[in-house]
Amino acid sequence: MRRLQRLRHLALISAILLPWAAMTAAASLPIVIAHRGASGYLPEHTLPAKAMAHAMGADFIEQDVVLTRDGVPVVLHDIHLDATTDVAARFPDRARADGRYYAIDFSLDEIRSLRAQERLGSDGQAVYPGRFPAHTGNFRVPTLAEEIDLISGLDHSRQRRTGLYIELKGPRFHRNEGQDIALRVLEVLREKGYDQRTGQVFLQCFDDATLRYLRHELQTPLPLIQLIADPGWGEDSAVDYAFLQTAAGLDDVARYADGIGPWLEQIYLGRDANGEPLLSDLVALAHARGLQVHPYTFRADALPEGIDSFTALLDLFFNQVGVDGVFTDFPDLARDFLQDHRQHRNQQ
């Protein structure tokens, strides 16, 4: 009888501990974040690019969000429409004085009528000429709600649990236009049943004031990521990005956010005279404060100087630096790398 009781006791302990151990092991693996979807293969932020990222096994799929004139969150990287749609041909008289076409000046119906395309530079040529041919295809700008429906539906049919990684673009710009982008995004998440899914949704922003607003006033329980830009990019924020990369700056970030999203070249600083990689202490400083680190953007067709292959870039950040995840235009390559590394580690 005692032996039977002991076996039952051990079985109970195993039933409790084994799932916990499996979840802990899974949580410790770096995550693959599909940057604007599988944007290395299809035009960024289109639903086909998101479906492809899902099929490639991305853990999270990114949504950059801006608002239409009627306050609807749409998935678009810029507050402007001209670099990734045919807006200039469709609405030639709707540019502002600076020559740009702002999404917030257009209704949802008008934006739905546009054709989305591969990103163009100021010269009208594709930024990445080796990717999907520019000016071709029948793509559209989706709403955030439509994209969540797609990802949720694919999760159901493929028996997966894929995360959303939402960036609030230009919050100060939207506020000056009379719109509250943070509130609008949370409304959509609530409508779709994602507003409490703390393990399945990240909210990210370059503007610290918006993240504080989300945490303290809107009281979202969702994890928040403080993005760190290069000061020369002109992001819509008053943040001192150099300060954010210091111990004191990260102490402050830890009071309102759960992680940071630095530019990868704020971690990898090039090579020294002996050809060894020069690395900042940003990741170690962040980890010491309990912050996750998800750097951007890992592109197989735009490697940093001194890195000779995408595999070498991933190896540096995953195995040497120890980041918690990466934003990549090529989620299949990052997933394959992690899978190969896991198999190699298990064989040792």
Side-chain angles (χ1 to χ4, degrees):
M1 178 65 81
R2 283 183 183 174
R3 184 173 181 274
L4 181 59
Q5 288 177 333
R6 187 161 53 248
L7 288 173
R8 286 175 176 169
H9 182 63
L10 289 172
L12 178 61
I13 291 174
S14 296
I16 295 171
L17 291 184
L18 286 178
W20 177 85
M23 287 188 295
T24 301
S28 67
L29 294 173
I31 61 172
V32 174
I33 307 155
H35 181 249
R36 311 180 200 174
S39 55
Y41 305 102
L42 284 162
E44 65 182 60
H45 284 320
T46 58
L47 291 184
K50 304 307 173 72
M52 191 172 194
H54 197 285
M56 288 175 167
D59 300 297
F60 285 79
I61 300 175
E62 184 191 35
Q63 300 80 33
D64 292 312
V65 175
V66 303
L67 298 181
T68 64
R69 184 177 63 205
D70 31 1
V72 178
V74 293
V75 184
L76 191 73
H77 179 264
D78 310 318
I79 59 174
H80 313 109
L81 292 159
D82 30 300
T84 54
T85 75
D86 63 348
V87 64
R90 294 294 312 282
F91 298 97
D93 301 324
R94 297 280 292 279
R96 291 194 182 187
D98 60 2
R100 307 301 301 272
Y101 295 81
Y102 289 77
I104 206 164
D105 293 336
F106 292 79
S107 69
L108 177 60
D109 285 343
E110 290 172 330
I111 289 179
R112 285 191 193 279
S113 74
L114 302 176
R115 181 175 56 81
Q117 62 193 16
E118 189 66 29
R119 175 170 291 275
L120 304 178
S122 57
D123 59 358
Q125 302 301 309
V127 173
Y128 299 101
R131 298 188 180 185
F132 198 91
H135 308 294
T136 63
N138 185 24
F139 305 102
R140 294 292 179 263
V141 176
T143 68
L144 177 60
E146 289 167 345
E147 180 158 327
I148 293 174
D149 285 344
L150 173 70
I151 293 171
S152 177
L154 286 170
D155 275 353
H156 177 77
S157 61
R158 300 188 65 230
Q159 294 297 293
R160 288 182 55 82
R161 188 171 183 270
T162 307
L164 311 177
Y165 209 123
I166 302 171
E167 180 181 349
L168 284 65
K169 305 295 293 189
R172 297 198 306 169
F173 167 82
H174 282 91
R175 190 159 52 249
N176 289 337
E177 297 287 328
Q179 298 271 19
D180 186 336
I181 189 171
L183 186 60
R184 293 288 175 266
V185 166
L186 288 184
E187 287 173 349
V188 173
L189 290 174
R190 188 175 305 112
E191 173 192 336
K192 296 299 179 181
Y194 277 74
D195 61 314
Q196 302 295 313
R197 298 193 191 185
T198 56
Q200 203 174 354
V201 183
F202 283 102
L203 298 177
Q204 56 174 334
C205 193
F206 284 103
D207 183 48
D208 67 324
T210 298
L211 294 173
R212 296 175 198 271
Y213 172 56
L214 282 161
R215 175 66 76 228
H216 301 307
E217 295 184 49
L218 298 180
Q219 296 187 330
T220 179
L222 299 173
L224 305 179
I225 302 294
Q226 173 68 63
L227 294 172
I228 305 178
D230 183 281
W233 295 348
E235 289 293 339
D236 183 35
S237 172
V239 175
D240 180 347
Y241 294 114
F243 174 68
L244 289 188
Q245 298 173 63
T246 67
L250 292 168
D251 283 340
D252 189 36
V253 170
R255 296 186 181 99
Y256 62 85
D258 303 276
I260 59 170
W263 180 33
L264 66 85
E265 293 192 33
Q266 291 166 334
I267 298 171
Y268 167 71
L269 308 177
R271 301 271 178 182
D272 65 17
N274 297 318
E276 295 298 318
L278 293 169
L279 303 172
S280 74
D281 60 356
L282 180 57
V283 175
L285 288 172
H287 282 168
R289 288 152 180 81
L291 295 169
Q292 298 183 61
V293 182
H294 301 154
Y296 62 88
T297 303
F298 289 69
R299 297 183 170 104
D301 51 1
L303 297 170
E305 186 175 350
I307 303 293
D308 59 9
S309 71
F310 195 58
T311 297
L313 180 64
L314 294 173
D315 180 69
L316 176 65
F317 276 81
F318 282 137
N319 297 332
Q320 298 181 52
V321 177
V323 298
D324 304 290
V326 298
F327 285 86
T328 178
D329 295 4
F330 299 87
D332 57 332
L333 302 184
R335 172 57 56 219
D336 289 347
F337 177 89
L338 287 173
Q339 183 63 34
D340 291 346
H341 177 71
R342 187 184 314 164
Q343 290 175 349
H344 176 71
R345 184 173 55 191
N346 291 340
Q347 292 168 0
Q348 290 180 332

